[in-house]
């Protein structure tokens, strides 16, 4: 398995909040749903994504934006337009004063607006993310990224938009899966751009030495890997592996493995009631003590302290 596949596993859409808004200038939406990741594309007209702390980004028809949360931000017809509608979790809509507008603005099963003939249509979907594994992906993304329409590959966008206003059996599952594919296609297109500054683990996938080593670490993180055994698996010397892996990924093979194991352990601590001992063995440590030492060194707190703290948006920081 490749790193991007593993890191995307935690952002799979489940009951995806996907919808479209039909708008007429001047319009402004204050996005306050707290989602860890949002996906938006313009179907008609144009839109500006305006972070509270960052440069506004313009979207033309077919362009796709991915916005990293959970901070609130604005989407509007112009960077200077003051929002008059607030979008909350679950696509609940209110006026700025808190008056609920969800029912009043509903035009279809997943479409909202004051008129069906607005000059701008914006489609969007959101993801709630709690996976530490996925935090490594989020850390590699800017607050707002935009991929031009010409670079978003495949028919998935057309299929996704055709499904928005349908309400047949299994509709939610169809939307979830299509949104997943659309996000993957967008991120692949983004990382292929020179401006993206793709992280080492992404670019290293195609390296003839670092790539197979990365796949081995992701396929079997609990294996008692050493530089020597990993080099033998790849078919090169220890020195060659250490040199190529570090140059491509940005850290040594064992440092990467440790961080990967700790991220996997963090997800298990959050999502299960399993003992620390059993989690330790699953991710490649001989016992709970060994996991605790490594965990505290990287995260600054013990596995028990990590499990007991309130949950937050995933981050590898």
């Amino acid at each position: 398995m490749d790193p991007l596949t593993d890191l995307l596993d935690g952002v799979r859409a489940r009951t995806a909040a996907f919808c479209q808004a039909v708008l007429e200038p001047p319009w402004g939406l204050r996005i306050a749903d707290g989602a860890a990741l949002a996906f938006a594309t313009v179907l008609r007209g144009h839109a500006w994504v305006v972070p509270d702390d960052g440069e506004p980004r313009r979207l033309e028809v077919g362009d796709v934006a991915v916005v990293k949360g959970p901070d609130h931000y604005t989407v509007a017809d112009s960077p200077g337009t003051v929002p008059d509608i607030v979008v909350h979790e679950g696509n609940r809509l209110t006026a700025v004063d808190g008056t609920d507008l969800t029912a009043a603005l509903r035009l279809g099963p997943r479409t909202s607006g004051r008129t069906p003939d607005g000059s701008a249509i914006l489609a969007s979907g959101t993801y709630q993310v709690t996976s530490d594994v996925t935090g490594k992906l989020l850390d590699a993304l800017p607050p707002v990224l935009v991929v031009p329409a010409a670079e978003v590959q495949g028919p998935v966008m057309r299929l996704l938009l055709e499904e928005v206003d349908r309400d047949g059996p299994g509709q939610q599952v169809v939307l979830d899966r299509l949104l997943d594919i659309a996000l993957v296609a967008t991120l692949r297109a983004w990382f292929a751009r020179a401006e993206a500054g793709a992280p080492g683990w992404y670019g290293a996938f195609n390296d003839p030495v670092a790539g197979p080593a990365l796949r081995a670490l992701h396929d079997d993180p609990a294996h008692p890997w050493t530089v020597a055994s990993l080099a033998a698996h790849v078919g090169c010397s220890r020195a060659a592996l250490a040199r190529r892996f570090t140059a491509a990924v940005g850290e040594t093979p064992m440092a990467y493995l440790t961080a990967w194991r700790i991220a996997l352990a963090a997800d298990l601590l959050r999502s299960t009631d399993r003992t620390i001992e059993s989690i330790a063995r699953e991710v490649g440590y001989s016992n709970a003590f060994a996991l605790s030492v490594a965990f505290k060194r990287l995260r600054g707190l013990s596995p028990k302290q990590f499990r007991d703290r309130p949950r937050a948006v995933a981050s590898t920081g």
Side-chain angles (χ1 to χ4, degrees), residues 8 50 66 83 91-92 98 114-115 117-118 129 155 157 176 183 211 223 227 230 255 279 296 298 303:
L8 280 167
V50 187
V66 174
N91 288 327
R92 184 173 68 88
R114 291 190 168 93
T115 169
D117 300 318
V129 180
M157 294 303 301
D176 289 350
L183 178 64
H223 184 80
V227 174
L230 191 59
I279 291 173
K296 192 164 187 177
L298 264 65

Side-chain angles (χ1 to χ4, degrees), residues 12-248:
R12 285 183 179 172
R14 295 170 178 85
T15 63
F18 190 78
C19 63
Q20 63 183 8
V22 184
L23 304 149
E24 189 66 37
W27 60 268
L29 307 174
R30 181 64 174 167
I31 312 301
D33 56 13
L37 208 61
F39 172 98
T41 187
V42 174
L43 309 184
R44 183 190 301 166
H46 70 271
W48 286 85
V49 179
V50 187
D52 287 356
D53 298 307
E55 290 295 319
R57 302 294 303 274
R58 182 180 171 106
L59 300 181
E60 303 291 350
V61 172
D63 294 349
V64 179
V66 174
V67 184
K68 183 168 66 172
D71 293 340
H72 299 175
Y73 58 97
T74 296
V75 182
D77 68 308
S78 169
T81 300
V82 177
D84 59 350
I85 296 175
V86 182
V87 181
H88 302 271
E89 186 175 356
N91 288 327
R92 184 173 68 88
L93 307 177
T94 71
V96 175
D97 64 5
T99 303
D100 196 294
L101 301 174
T102 308
L105 295 176
R106 182 174 292 123
L107 296 174
R110 297 173 186 83
T111 300
S112 299
R114 291 190 168 93
T115 169
D117 300 318
S119 61
I121 301 179
L122 179 72
S124 62
T126 58
Y127 295 83
Q128 298 295 334
V129 180
T130 57
S131 167
D132 265 61
V133 165
T134 301
K136 194 176 184 74
L137 171 61
L138 297 183
D139 287 348
L141 302 179
V144 180
L145 66 87
V146 175
V147 179
E151 297 177 26
V152 180
Q153 301 297 314
V156 64
M157 294 303 301
R158 176 180 54 78
L159 293 173
L160 183 60
L161 299 172
E162 286 176 357
E163 294 290 335
V164 172
D165 271 334
R166 295 183 183 177
D167 207 20
Q171 193 67 26
Q172 189 61 60
V173 175
V174 172
L175 284 171
D176 289 350
R177 298 291 75 79
L178 287 173
L179 188 56
D180 286 341
I181 297 169
L183 178 64
V184 173
T186 301
L187 291 179
R188 287 173 64 181
W190 166 253
F191 284 137
R193 294 172 64 86
E195 69 187 87
W201 52 260
Y202 185 86
F205 179 70
N206 292 319
D207 185 274
V209 173
L214 272 174
R215 286 191 287 274
L217 298 181
H218 278 255
D219 287 343
D220 192 2
H223 184 80
W225 293 109
T226 63
V227 174
S229 65
L230 191 59
H233 177 84
V234 172
C236 66
S237 70
R238 286 179 293 176
L241 172 65
R243 182 175 63 254
R244 291 287 291 273
F245 192 101
T246 303

